[in-house]
Amino acid sequence: KRTSSPKPMPNPRASSASGSSKGRTAPHSGTDLAKAHRSIRIAHSIGLLWGLLGLVFLLLLSNYWWGLCIIFAGVVLARAGGQALHSVLPAMLQEGAAPTPTEMESGLLTGLFCLQGIMAPSSSLALEWTTLLENLAFGCTYGKRNCLTGDMYAGELTLGKICGLVYGKLSSGIIRCN
C-alpha cells in the first residue's frame, strides 16, 4: 500500500532549461548576451538593424511583403546566424573559433529574439541596443587596443560618443591608428 501521495512529474522544460544553461541567470538577462560569443552578438545586432529596417519598409511601402521578409531574415540571423556570420566576418572582427553548437543554443535564449525577450520587450530592446553599441565600438577600434580604445571605453558607450570619436579621428586625417 501507498503511504504517501505520488510525486509530481518534473517539468521537462524546466529540467532541459536548467540542464542547458548550467547555472546561468534568467534566459533573457543581460549577462547571457554580454557573455555570448562575439559572432552571436554581432548576429543579434545585425538582426536588430534588419528588424528596424523591416519596420520602416512596413510603414513606407504599400506592399508589406518586403518588410515582413526583412524582419523575418533579421530574426533568423539573430537566432541562428552566428556560425554562418563568423565565416564571412573579416578576421579583425572574429574572436577565436566559430561558435560551438552549445554557444549557439545559449544564444537562442537571450535578447529580443526569444519568447522571454518578447515578454519583456523594453528590457530586451535595451539589452540589444547596448550590445549593438558595444559591437559598433569593437568594430571601430578594430577589436584591439589603439588610439581610439582608451577614449571609446572610458565611461558609458553612446552612439554620439562613438560617432564623435570616429569623426574626430577621420577629420584629423587619421585613417588607421595603432
Side-chain angles (χ1 to χ4, degrees):
K1 286 187 170 187
R2 199 178 269 183
T3 59
S4 64
S5 63
K7 294 182 180 179
M9 293 289 290
N11 184 353
R13 291 181 187 162
S15 63
S16 67
S18 65
S20 65
S21 62
K22 296 196 188 231
R24 292 181 182 242
T25 57
H28 64 283
S29 71
T31 57
D32 279 353
L33 188 57
K35 292 178 182 177
H37 191 281
R38 170 69 62 187
S39 298
I40 294 172
R41 287 182 282 165
I42 292 174
H44 270 256
S45 296
I46 294 173
L48 177 66
L49 292 175
W50 283 4
L52 295 175
L53 179 65
L55 286 175
V56 169
F57 279 9
L58 280 175
L59 295 174
L60 296 180
L61 299 178
S62 60
N63 183 353
Y64 297 126
W65 179 248
W66 289 107
L68 292 174
C69 286
I70 291 173
I71 291 171
F72 180 72
V75 170
V76 169
L77 178 65
R79 288 185 55 82
Q83 285 180 328
L85 185 65
H86 184 83
S87 64
V88 297
L89 284 174
M92 70 179 185
L93 295 180
Q94 293 180 356
E95 280 186 344
T100 64
T102 305
E103 291 172 323
M104 289 296 298
E105 186 178 314
S106 69
L108 288 173
L109 302 174
T110 60
L112 185 64
F113 304 101
C114 64
L115 181 61
Q116 294 88 355
I118 293 171
M119 301 294 238
S122 62
S123 62
S124 298
L125 191 58
L127 169 63
E128 294 288 351
W129 179 252
T130 303
T131 302
L132 175 72
L133 290 176
E134 196 272 328
N135 284 326
L136 182 60
F138 180 81
C140 290
T141 60
Y142 309 115
K144 55 187 171 188
R145 293 188 76 56
N146 56 30
C147 62
L148 282 174
T149 308
D151 293 333
M152 187 75 74
Y153 292 105
E156 184 181 351
L157 276 176
T158 63
L159 186 59
K161 177 181 178 180
I162 295 169
C163 292
L165 287 171
V166 171
Y167 177 75
K169 292 297 179 185
L170 291 176
S171 64
S172 67
I174 299 174
I175 301 297
R176 183 178 177 125
C177 53
N178 296 322

mmCIF file with all atom_site columns, all heavy atoms in Angstrom, residues 140 147-148 151-152 159-177:
data_model
loop_
_atom_site.group_PDB
_atom_site.id
_atom_site.type_symbol
_atom_site.label_atom_id
_atom_site.label_alt_id
_atom_site.label_comp_id
_atom_site.label_asym_id
_atom_site.label_entity_id
_atom_site.label_seq_id
_atom_site.pdbx_PDB_ins_code
_atom_site.Cartn_x
_atom_site.Cartn_y
_atom_site.Cartn_z
_atom_site.occupancy
_atom_site.B_iso_or_equiv
_atom_site.pdbx_formal_charge
_atom_site.auth_seq_id
_atom_site.auth_comp_id
_atom_site.auth_asym_id
_atom_site.auth_atom_id
_atom_site.pdbx_PDB_model_num
ATOM 1   N N   . CYS A 1 140 ? 34.845 49.702 -34.608 1.00 0.00 ? 140 CYS A N   1
ATOM 2   C CA  . CYS A 1 140 ? 35.561 50.966 -34.840 1.00 0.00 ? 140 CYS A CA  1
ATOM 3   C C   . CYS A 1 140 ? 36.972 50.947 -34.287 1.00 0.00 ? 140 CYS A C   1
ATOM 4   O O   . CYS A 1 140 ? 37.841 51.666 -34.770 1.00 0.00 ? 140 CYS A O   1
ATOM 5   C CB  . CYS A 1 140 ? 34.783 52.133 -34.231 1.00 0.00 ? 140 CYS A CB  1
ATOM 6   S SG  . CYS A 1 140 ? 33.267 52.509 -35.117 1.00 0.00 ? 140 CYS A SG  1
ATOM 7   N N   . CYS A 1 147 ? 44.509 53.942 -30.849 1.00 0.00 ? 147 CYS A N   1
ATOM 8   C CA  . CYS A 1 147 ? 44.338 55.331 -30.405 1.00 0.00 ? 147 CYS A CA  1
ATOM 9   C C   . CYS A 1 147 ? 42.894 55.655 -30.020 1.00 0.00 ? 147 CYS A C   1
ATOM 10  O O   . CYS A 1 147 ? 42.651 56.638 -29.336 1.00 0.00 ? 147 CYS A O   1
ATOM 11  C CB  . CYS A 1 147 ? 44.824 56.285 -31.491 1.00 0.00 ? 147 CYS A CB  1
ATOM 12  S SG  . CYS A 1 147 ? 43.922 56.180 -33.039 1.00 0.00 ? 147 CYS A SG  1
ATOM 13  N N   . LEU A 1 148 ? 41.939 54.857 -30.419 1.00 0.00 ? 148 LEU A N   1
ATOM 14  C CA  . LEU A 1 148 ? 40.538 55.100 -30.062 1.00 0.00 ? 148 LEU A CA  1
ATOM 15  C C   . LEU A 1 148 ? 40.096 54.366 -28.801 1.00 0.00 ? 148 LEU A C   1
ATOM 16  O O   . LEU A 1 148 ? 39.140 54.772 -28.153 1.00 0.00 ? 148 LEU A O   1
ATOM 17  C CB  . LEU A 1 148 ? 39.610 54.647 -31.206 1.00 0.00 ? 148 LEU A CB  1
ATOM 18  C CG  . LEU A 1 148 ? 39.476 55.537 -32.414 1.00 0.00 ? 148 LEU A CG  1
ATOM 19  C CD1 . LEU A 1 148 ? 38.639 54.850 -33.471 1.00 0.00 ? 148 LEU A CD1 1
ATOM 20  C CD2 . LEU A 1 148 ? 38.864 56.864 -32.037 1.00 0.00 ? 148 LEU A CD2 1
ATOM 21  N N   . ASP A 1 151 ? 39.686 56.245 -25.173 1.00 0.00 ? 151 ASP A N   1
ATOM 22  C CA  . ASP A 1 151 ? 38.565 57.190 -25.122 1.00 0.00 ? 151 ASP A CA  1
ATOM 23  C C   . ASP A 1 151 ? 37.227 56.483 -25.324 1.00 0.00 ? 151 ASP A C   1
ATOM 24  O O   . ASP A 1 151 ? 36.220 56.849 -24.727 1.00 0.00 ? 151 ASP A O   1
ATOM 25  C CB  . ASP A 1 151 ? 38.735 58.271 -26.193 1.00 0.00 ? 151 ASP A CB  1
ATOM 26  C CG  . ASP A 1 151 ? 39.925 59.176 -25.916 1.00 0.00 ? 151 ASP A CG  1
ATOM 27  O OD1 . ASP A 1 151 ? 40.278 59.327 -24.732 1.00 0.00 ? 151 ASP A OD1 1
ATOM 28  O OD2 . ASP A 1 151 ? 40.484 59.719 -26.886 1.00 0.00 ? 151 ASP A OD2 1
ATOM 29  N N   . MET A 1 152 ? 37.217 55.463 -26.184 1.00 0.00 ? 152 MET A N   1
ATOM 30  C CA  . MET A 1 152 ? 35.969 54.782 -26.525 1.00 0.00 ? 152 MET A CA  1
ATOM 31  C C   . MET A 1 152 ? 35.363 54.089 -25.309 1.00 0.00 ? 152 MET A C   1
ATOM 32  O O   . MET A 1 152 ? 34.170 54.173 -25.068 1.00 0.00 ? 152 MET A O   1
ATOM 33  C CB  . MET A 1 152 ? 36.233 53.767 -27.639 1.00 0.00 ? 152 MET A CB  1
ATOM 34  C CG  . MET A 1 152 ? 34.996 53.112 -28.207 1.00 0.00 ? 152 MET A CG  1
ATOM 35  S SD  . MET A 1 152 ? 34.051 54.165 -29.294 1.00 0.00 ? 152 MET A SD  1
ATOM 36  C CE  . MET A 1 152 ? 35.057 54.198 -30.738 1.00 0.00 ? 152 MET A CE  1
ATOM 37  N N   . LEU A 1 159 ? 25.879 56.251 -28.817 1.00 0.00 ? 159 LEU A N   1
ATOM 38  C CA  . LEU A 1 159 ? 26.040 56.388 -30.257 1.00 0.00 ? 159 LEU A CA  1
ATOM 39  C C   . LEU A 1 159 ? 26.736 57.707 -30.594 1.00 0.00 ? 159 LEU A C   1
ATOM 40  O O   . LEU A 1 159 ? 27.622 57.749 -31.450 1.00 0.00 ? 159 LEU A O   1
ATOM 41  C CB  . LEU A 1 159 ? 24.684 56.293 -30.955 1.00 0.00 ? 159 LEU A CB  1
ATOM 42  C CG  . LEU A 1 159 ? 24.712 56.283 -32.474 1.00 0.00 ? 159 LEU A CG  1
ATOM 43  C CD1 . LEU A 1 159 ? 25.536 55.119 -33.002 1.00 0.00 ? 159 LEU A CD1 1
ATOM 44  C CD2 . LEU A 1 159 ? 23.293 56.214 -33.018 1.00 0.00 ? 159 LEU A CD2 1
ATOM 45  N N   . GLY A 1 160 ? 26.384 58.771 -29.904 1.00 0.00 ? 160 GLY A N   1
ATOM 46  C CA  . GLY A 1 160 ? 27.024 60.063 -30.136 1.00 0.00 ? 160 GLY A CA  1
ATOM 47  C C   . GLY A 1 160 ? 28.504 60.038 -29.822 1.00 0.00 ? 160 GLY A C   1
ATOM 48  O O   . GLY A 1 160 ? 29.315 60.632 -30.541 1.00 0.00 ? 160 GLY A O   1
ATOM 49  N N   . LYS A 1 161 ? 28.873 59.366 -28.746 1.00 0.00 ? 161 LYS A N   1
ATOM 50  C CA  . LYS A 1 161 ? 30.284 59.271 -28.365 1.00 0.00 ? 161 LYS A CA  1
ATOM 51  C C   . LYS A 1 161 ? 31.067 58.501 -29.418 1.00 0.00 ? 161 LYS A C   1
ATOM 52  O O   . LYS A 1 161 ? 32.152 58.929 -29.829 1.00 0.00 ? 161 LYS A O   1
ATOM 53  C CB  . LYS A 1 161 ? 30.387 58.572 -27.004 1.00 0.00 ? 161 LYS A CB  1
ATOM 54  C CG  . LYS A 1 161 ? 31.787 58.350 -26.518 1.00 0.00 ? 161 LYS A CG  1
ATOM 55  C CD  . LYS A 1 161 ? 31.738 57.624 -25.188 1.00 0.00 ? 161 LYS A CD  1
ATOM 56  C CE  . LYS A 1 161 ? 33.101 57.318 -24.653 1.00 0.00 ? 161 LYS A CE  1
ATOM 57  N NZ  . LYS A 1 161 ? 33.029 56.609 -23.374 1.00 0.00 ? 161 LYS A NZ  1
ATOM 58  N N   . ILE A 1 162 ? 30.532 57.375 -29.871 1.00 0.00 ? 162 ILE A N   1
ATOM 59  C CA  . ILE A 1 162 ? 31.220 56.564 -30.869 1.00 0.00 ? 162 ILE A CA  1
ATOM 60  C C   . ILE A 1 162 ? 31.389 57.347 -32.170 1.00 0.00 ? 162 ILE A C   1
ATOM 61  O O   . ILE A 1 162 ? 32.490 57.429 -32.724 1.00 0.00 ? 162 ILE A O   1
ATOM 62  C CB  . ILE A 1 162 ? 30.453 55.246 -31.112 1.00 0.00 ? 162 ILE A CB  1
ATOM 63  C CG1 . ILE A 1 162 ? 30.470 54.382 -29.849 1.00 0.00 ? 162 ILE A CG1 1
ATOM 64  C CG2 . ILE A 1 162 ? 31.051 54.482 -32.293 1.00 0.00 ? 162 ILE A CG2 1
ATOM 65  C CD1 . ILE A 1 162 ? 29.537 53.196 -29.894 1.00 0.00 ? 162 ILE A CD1 1
ATOM 66  N N   . CYS A 1 163 ? 30.298 57.943 -32.649 1.00 0.00 ? 163 CYS A N   1
ATOM 67  C CA  . CYS A 1 163 ? 30.354 58.707 -33.904 1.00 0.00 ? 163 CYS A CA  1
ATOM 68  C C   . CYS A 1 163 ? 31.285 59.917 -33.769 1.00 0.00 ? 163 CYS A C   1
ATOM 69  O O   . CYS A 1 163 ? 32.043 60.227 -34.686 1.00 0.00 ? 163 CYS A O   1
ATOM 70  C CB  . CYS A 1 163 ? 28.961 59.157 -34.321 1.00 0.00 ? 163 CYS A CB  1
ATOM 71  S SG  . CYS A 1 163 ? 27.895 57.799 -34.806 1.00 0.00 ? 163 CYS A SG  1
ATOM 72  N N   . GLY A 1 164 ? 31.244 60.599 -32.622 1.00 0.00 ? 164 GLY A N   1
ATOM 73  C CA  . GLY A 1 164 ? 32.098 61.760 -32.407 1.00 0.00 ? 164 GLY A CA  1
ATOM 74  C C   . GLY A 1 164 ? 33.570 61.407 -32.410 1.00 0.00 ? 164 GLY A C   1
ATOM 75  O O   . GLY A 1 164 ? 34.396 62.111 -33.011 1.00 0.00 ? 164 GLY A O   1
ATOM 76  N N   . LEU A 1 165 ? 33.940 60.305 -31.731 1.00 0.00 ? 165 LEU A N   1
ATOM 77  C CA  . LEU A 1 165 ? 35.343 59.894 -31.697 1.00 0.00 ? 165 LEU A CA  1
ATOM 78  C C   . LEU A 1 165 ? 35.837 59.479 -33.081 1.00 0.00 ? 165 LEU A C   1
ATOM 79  O O   . LEU A 1 165 ? 36.929 59.861 -33.501 1.00 0.00 ? 165 LEU A O   1
ATOM 80  C CB  . LEU A 1 165 ? 35.535 58.741 -30.706 1.00 0.00 ? 165 LEU A CB  1
ATOM 81  C CG  . LEU A 1 165 ? 35.455 59.110 -29.230 1.00 0.00 ? 165 LEU A CG  1
ATOM 82  C CD1 . LEU A 1 165 ? 35.440 57.858 -28.367 1.00 0.00 ? 165 LEU A CD1 1
ATOM 83  C CD2 . LEU A 1 165 ? 36.638 59.994 -28.852 1.00 0.00 ? 165 LEU A CD2 1
ATOM 84  N N   . VAL A 1 166 ? 35.023 58.708 -33.786 1.00 0.00 ? 166 VAL A N   1
ATOM 85  C CA  . VAL A 1 166 ? 35.430 58.260 -35.121 1.00 0.00 ? 166 VAL A CA  1
ATOM 86  C C   . VAL A 1 166 ? 35.519 59.457 -36.072 1.00 0.00 ? 166 VAL A C   1
ATOM 87  O O   . VAL A 1 166 ? 36.471 59.588 -36.831 1.00 0.00 ? 166 VAL A O   1
ATOM 88  C CB  . VAL A 1 166 ? 34.470 57.174 -35.650 1.00 0.00 ? 166 VAL A CB  1
ATOM 89  C CG1 . VAL A 1 166 ? 34.748 56.858 -37.112 1.00 0.00 ? 166 VAL A CG1 1
ATOM 90  C CG2 . VAL A 1 166 ? 34.579 55.914 -34.808 1.00 0.00 ? 166 VAL A CG2 1
ATOM 91  N N   . TYR A 1 167 ? 34.546 60.354 -36.024 1.00 0.00 ? 167 TYR A N   1
ATOM 92  C CA  . TYR A 1 167 ? 34.567 61.541 -36.876 1.00 0.00 ? 167 TYR A CA  1
ATOM 93  C C   . TYR A 1 167 ? 35.786 62.417 -36.563 1.00 0.00 ? 167 TYR A C   1
ATOM 94  O O   . TYR A 1 167 ? 36.440 62.947 -37.461 1.00 0.00 ? 167 TYR A O   1
ATOM 95  C CB  . TYR A 1 167 ? 33.285 62.359 -36.713 1.00 0.00 ? 167 TYR A CB  1
ATOM 96  C CG  . TYR A 1 167 ? 33.294 63.638 -37.510 1.00 0.00 ? 167 TYR A CG  1
ATOM 97  C CD1 . TYR A 1 167 ? 33.112 63.626 -38.878 1.00 0.00 ? 167 TYR A CD1 1
ATOM 98  C CD2 . TYR A 1 167 ? 33.517 64.862 -36.879 1.00 0.00 ? 167 TYR A CD2 1
ATOM 99  C CE1 . TYR A 1 167 ? 33.146 64.800 -39.618 1.00 0.00 ? 167 TYR A CE1 1
ATOM 100 C CE2 . TYR A 1 167 ? 33.552 66.043 -37.595 1.00 0.00 ? 167 TYR A CE2 1
ATOM 101 C CZ  . TYR A 1 167 ? 33.360 66.005 -38.961 1.00 0.00 ? 167 TYR A CZ  1
ATOM 102 O OH  . TYR A 1 167 ? 33.408 67.162 -39.682 1.00 0.00 ? 167 TYR A OH  1
ATOM 103 N N   . GLY A 1 168 ? 36.097 62.557 -35.280 1.00 0.00 ? 168 GLY A N   1
ATOM 104 C CA  . GLY A 1 168 ? 37.256 63.355 -34.889 1.00 0.00 ? 168 GLY A CA  1
ATOM 105 C C   . GLY A 1 168 ? 38.549 62.798 -35.455 1.00 0.00 ? 168 GLY A C   1
ATOM 106 O O   . GLY A 1 168 ? 39.402 63.545 -35.936 1.00 0.00 ? 168 GLY A O   1
ATOM 107 N N   . LYS A 1 169 ? 38.722 61.481 -35.420 1.00 0.00 ? 169 LYS A N   1
ATOM 108 C CA  . LYS A 1 169 ? 39.933 60.864 -35.963 1.00 0.00 ? 169 LYS A CA  1
ATOM 109 C C   . LYS A 1 169 ? 39.964 60.984 -37.482 1.00 0.00 ? 169 LYS A C   1
ATOM 110 O O   . LYS A 1 169 ? 41.000 61.287 -38.070 1.00 0.00 ? 169 LYS A O   1
ATOM 111 C CB  . LYS A 1 169 ? 40.037 59.386 -35.556 1.00 0.00 ? 169 LYS A CB  1
ATOM 112 C CG  . LYS A 1 169 ? 40.270 59.171 -34.085 1.00 0.00 ? 169 LYS A CG  1
ATOM 113 C CD  . LYS A 1 169 ? 41.601 59.753 -33.644 1.00 0.00 ? 169 LYS A CD  1
ATOM 114 C CE  . LYS A 1 169 ? 41.791 59.544 -32.156 1.00 0.00 ? 169 LYS A CE  1
ATOM 115 N NZ  . LYS A 1 169 ? 42.990 60.168 -31.645 1.00 0.00 ? 169 LYS A NZ  1
ATOM 116 N N   . LEU A 1 170 ? 38.828 60.727 -38.139 1.00 0.00 ? 170 LEU A N   1
ATOM 117 C CA  . LEU A 1 170 ? 38.802 60.813 -39.598 1.00 0.00 ? 170 LEU A CA  1
ATOM 118 C C   . LEU A 1 170 ? 38.992 62.248 -40.093 1.00 0.00 ? 170 LEU A C   1
ATOM 119 O O   . LEU A 1 170 ? 39.676 62.465 -41.092 1.00 0.00 ? 170 LEU A O   1
ATOM 120 C CB  . LEU A 1 170 ? 37.483 60.245 -40.137 1.00 0.00 ? 170 LEU A CB  1
ATOM 121 C CG  . LEU A 1 170 ? 37.295 58.737 -39.982 1.00 0.00 ? 170 LEU A CG  1
ATOM 122 C CD1 . LEU A 1 170 ? 35.917 58.320 -40.457 1.00 0.00 ? 170 LEU A CD1 1
ATOM 123 C CD2 . LEU A 1 170 ? 38.383 57.965 -40.712 1.00 0.00 ? 170 LEU A CD2 1
ATOM 124 N N   . SER A 1 171 ? 38.405 63.213 -39.399 1.00 0.00 ? 171 SER A N   1
ATOM 125 C CA  . SER A 1 171 ? 38.540 64.613 -39.840 1.00 0.00 ? 171 SER A CA  1
ATOM 126 C C   . SER A 1 171 ? 39.957 65.146 -39.622 1.00 0.00 ? 171 SER A C   1
ATOM 127 O O   . SER A 1 171 ? 40.364 66.086 -40.288 1.00 0.00 ? 171 SER A O   1
ATOM 128 C CB  . SER A 1 171 ? 37.519 65.499 -39.130 1.00 0.00 ? 171 SER A CB  1
ATOM 129 O OG  . SER A 1 171 ? 37.781 65.522 -37.743 1.00 0.00 ? 171 SER A OG  1
ATOM 130 N N   . SER A 1 172 ? 40.700 64.550 -38.692 1.00 0.00 ? 172 SER A N   1
ATOM 131 C CA  . SER A 1 172 ? 42.090 64.969 -38.491 1.00 0.00 ? 172 SER A CA  1
ATOM 132 C C   . SER A 1 172 ? 43.049 64.225 -39.407 1.00 0.00 ? 172 SER A C   1
ATOM 133 O O   . SER A 1 172 ? 44.251 64.417 -39.321 1.00 0.00 ? 172 SER A O   1
ATOM 134 C CB  . SER A 1 172 ? 42.493 64.789 -37.030 1.00 0.00 ? 172 SER A CB  1
ATOM 135 O OG  . SER A 1 172 ? 42.515 63.406 -36.698 1.00 0.00 ? 172 SER A OG  1
ATOM 136 N N   . GLY A 1 173 ? 42.511 63.379 -40.278 1.00 0.00 ? 173 GLY A N   1
ATOM 137 C CA  . GLY A 1 173 ? 43.337 62.691 -41.256 1.00 0.00 ? 173 GLY A CA  1
ATOM 138 C C   . GLY A 1 173 ? 43.863 61.347 -40.826 1.00 0.00 ? 173 GLY A C   1
ATOM 139 O O   . GLY A 1 173 ? 44.631 60.716 -41.532 1.00 0.00 ? 173 GLY A O   1
ATOM 140 N N   . ILE A 1 174 ? 43.433 60.862 -39.669 1.00 0.00 ? 174 ILE A N   1
ATOM 141 C CA  . ILE A 1 174 ? 43.906 59.558 -39.187 1.00 0.00 ? 174 ILE A CA  1
ATOM 142 C C   . ILE A 1 174 ? 42.923 58.497 -39.693 1.00 0.00 ? 174 ILE A C   1
ATOM 143 O O   . ILE A 1 174 ? 41.777 58.441 -39.275 1.00 0.00 ? 174 ILE A O   1
ATOM 144 C CB  . ILE A 1 174 ? 44.001 59.518 -37.661 1.00 0.00 ? 174 ILE A CB  1
ATOM 145 C CG1 . ILE A 1 174 ? 45.003 60.561 -37.184 1.00 0.00 ? 174 ILE A CG1 1
ATOM 146 C CG2 . ILE A 1 174 ? 44.392 58.123 -37.179 1.00 0.00 ? 174 ILE A CG2 1
ATOM 147 C CD1 . ILE A 1 174 ? 45.084 60.706 -35.690 1.00 0.00 ? 174 ILE A CD1 1
ATOM 148 N N   . ILE A 1 175 ? 43.386 57.661 -40.615 1.00 0.00 ? 175 ILE A N   1
ATOM 149 C CA  . ILE A 1 175 ? 42.548 56.593 -41.154 1.00 0.00 ? 175 ILE A CA  1
ATOM 150 C C   . ILE A 1 175 ? 42.728 55.327 -40.335 1.00 0.00 ? 175 ILE A C   1
ATOM 151 O O   . ILE A 1 175 ? 41.777 54.650 -40.006 1.00 0.00 ? 175 ILE A O   1
ATOM 152 C CB  . ILE A 1 175 ? 42.896 56.317 -42.642 1.00 0.00 ? 175 ILE A CB  1
ATOM 153 C CG1 . ILE A 1 175 ? 42.711 57.554 -43.491 1.00 0.00 ? 175 ILE A CG1 1
ATOM 154 C CG2 . ILE A 1 175 ? 42.066 55.170 -43.190 1.00 0.00 ? 175 ILE A CG2 1
ATOM 155 C CD1 . ILE A 1 175 ? 41.295 58.074 -43.567 1.00 0.00 ? 175 ILE A CD1 1
ATOM 156 N N   . ARG A 1 176 ? 43.954 55.005 -40.019 1.00 0.00 ? 176 ARG A N   1
ATOM 157 C CA  . ARG A 1 176 ? 44.230 53.811 -39.237 1.00 0.00 ? 176 ARG A CA  1
ATOM 158 C C   . ARG A 1 176 ? 45.151 54.195 -38.091 1.00 0.00 ? 176 ARG A C   1
ATOM 159 O O   . ARG A 1 176 ? 46.223 54.746 -38.308 1.00 0.00 ? 176 ARG A O   1
ATOM 160 C CB  . ARG A 1 176 ? 44.870 52.744 -40.107 1.00 0.00 ? 176 ARG A CB  1
ATOM 161 C CG  . ARG A 1 176 ? 45.113 51.471 -39.372 1.00 0.00 ? 176 ARG A CG  1
ATOM 162 C CD  . ARG A 1 176 ? 45.691 50.422 -40.285 1.00 0.00 ? 176 ARG A CD  1
ATOM 163 N NE  . ARG A 1 176 ? 45.962 49.241 -39.494 1.00 0.00 ? 176 ARG A NE  1
ATOM 164 C CZ  . ARG A 1 176 ? 45.492 48.060 -39.789 1.00 0.00 ? 176 ARG A CZ  1
ATOM 165 N NH1 . ARG A 1 176 ? 44.742 47.882 -40.826 1.00 0.00 ? 176 ARG A NH1 1
ATOM 166 N NH2 . ARG A 1 176 ? 45.799 47.033 -39.032 1.00 0.00 ? 176 ARG A NH2 1
ATOM 167 N N   . CYS A 1 177 ? 44.732 53.909 -36.882 1.00 0.00 ? 177 CYS A N   1
ATOM 168 C CA  . CYS A 1 177 ? 45.563 54.262 -35.741 1.00 0.00 ? 177 CYS A CA  1
ATOM 169 C C   . CYS A 1 177 ? 46.091 52.994 -35.090 1.00 0.00 ? 177 CYS A C   1
ATOM 170 O O   . CYS A 1 177 ? 45.433 51.968 -35.078 1.00 0.00 ? 177 CYS A O   1
ATOM 171 C CB  . CYS A 1 177 ? 44.801 55.125 -34.739 1.00 0.00 ? 177 CYS A CB  1
ATOM 172 S SG  . CYS A 1 177 ? 43.242 54.459 -34.193 1.00 0.00 ? 177 CYS A SG  1
#
